[in-house]
Amino acid sequence: MTVKIGVVGCDGRMGRMIVKAATAADGAEIAAGCDRPDSADLGRDVGELAGIGPIGVPLGDAAAAVFAAADVVIDFTVPGALAEHARLARDTGTALLVGTTGLQAAETAALDAAAERAAVLWAPNMSLGVNLLLTLVERAAAALGPDYDIEVLEMHHRHKADAPSGTALALGRAAAAGRGVDLSGTAVYAREGQTGPRRPGAIGFATLRGGDVAGDHAVIFAGPGERLELGHRASSREVFAQGAIKAALWLHDRPPGLYAMADVLGLSS
Ligand code: NAD
């Protein structure tokens, strides 16, 4: 059986990589793709846009047509587009895989609502390595305890629009979970000027931007007399596209519900 994949945000950096990865994958094909109505590339073949030659799928401007044509829709767009895509998943029952980061409460609520009637998976990072790192960070935070200060460091390419990265926030949540606390009460997202000493129990974040860095993350546990660092470096954004296709093939025939990348990768406890 071939799983029909639809791509919203098909003309973006990740959208194009998804087209390339899906076309190369066994058991998957691109059924439809769309981007914003003001895209200069509307009507062009999405395979050509992805640099792999024509695949007979023109770039459209209607997300509804993508949901109608696909078994699973992949969304790497912007948070502002998510409410509509979640509504379409809910109305059609089509599975929805979301990689978009920078979501606020309204967008996560829309995904929760969609998950009542469709299989939905949101993951701020689709790589195997990062999802394994999340479990390691939670275990390390639990084992080391509050004497070890936790700092999350990330660097991404110059085009990235949100900060800290969705992955850095997920690492912070994993560290907080390991300590049995909520990230919102402990996170320190920026420091400047006379900050005073470090607040006990704080989970700090530092963000770097530049060049074409696909995604570097490190979680530092700084304790008395030693420092433990757990990290991950993505050398290509292709790793996220490969992970997305693996997740889409896993998700397309699941019952309605909210799933995580850990479920796909067998890392759920
Ligand atoms: P990008 O700007 O290159 O692409 C986004 C695309 O979405 C653009 O083509 C844009 O025109 C399109 N778009 C915007 N609104 C739309 C709408 N309403 N309908 C259809 N298309 C719409 O960005 P990118 O680098 O591809 O990243 C996209 C998102 O994916 C970001 O949030 C980024 O942080 C995230 N990301 C996640 C992972 C992961 O593994 N989860 C990996 C890389 C990037």
Side-chain angles (χ1 to χ4, degrees), residues 7-16 34-39 60-61 63 75-82 84-85 98-103 122-127 156-157 159-162 165-167 214 237 239-241 244:
V7 185
V8 289
C10 199
D11 202 12
R13 283 177 291 259
M14 284 307 302
R16 292 174 183 218
C34 76
D35 209 281
R36 289 159 47 102
D38 59 356
S39 166
D61 65 356
D75 177 317
F76 283 80
T77 58
V78 292
L82 260 190
E84 191 204 345
H85 298 159
V98 179
T100 305
T101 62
L103 310 195
W122 173 71
N125 194 303
M126 304 263 178
S127 91
H156 279 85
H157 55 90
H159 302 291
K160 185 157 179 63
D162 54 312
S165 71
T167 303
R237 290 157 69 88
V239 70
F240 308 127

Side-chain angles (χ1 to χ4, degrees), residues 111-151:
L111 292 180
D112 287 345
E116 291 168 8
R117 299 207 194 142
V120 176
L121 191 158
W122 173 71
N125 194 303
M126 304 263 178
S127 91
L128 170 60
V130 159
N131 285 282
L132 182 57
L133 179 64
L134 288 167
T135 66
L136 296 175
V137 164
E138 183 170 344
R139 286 185 63 182
L144 294 172
D147 279 351
Y148 285 71
D149 297 326
I150 301 176
E151 295 283 314

Side-chain angles (χ1 to χ4, degrees), residues 1-6 27-32 69-73 94 249 252:
M1 182 204 168
T2 301
V3 177
K4 291 183 188 146
I5 293 182
E29 68 178 19
I30 294 294
D71 299 318
V72 52
V73 171
T94 306
L249 293 178
H252 81 277

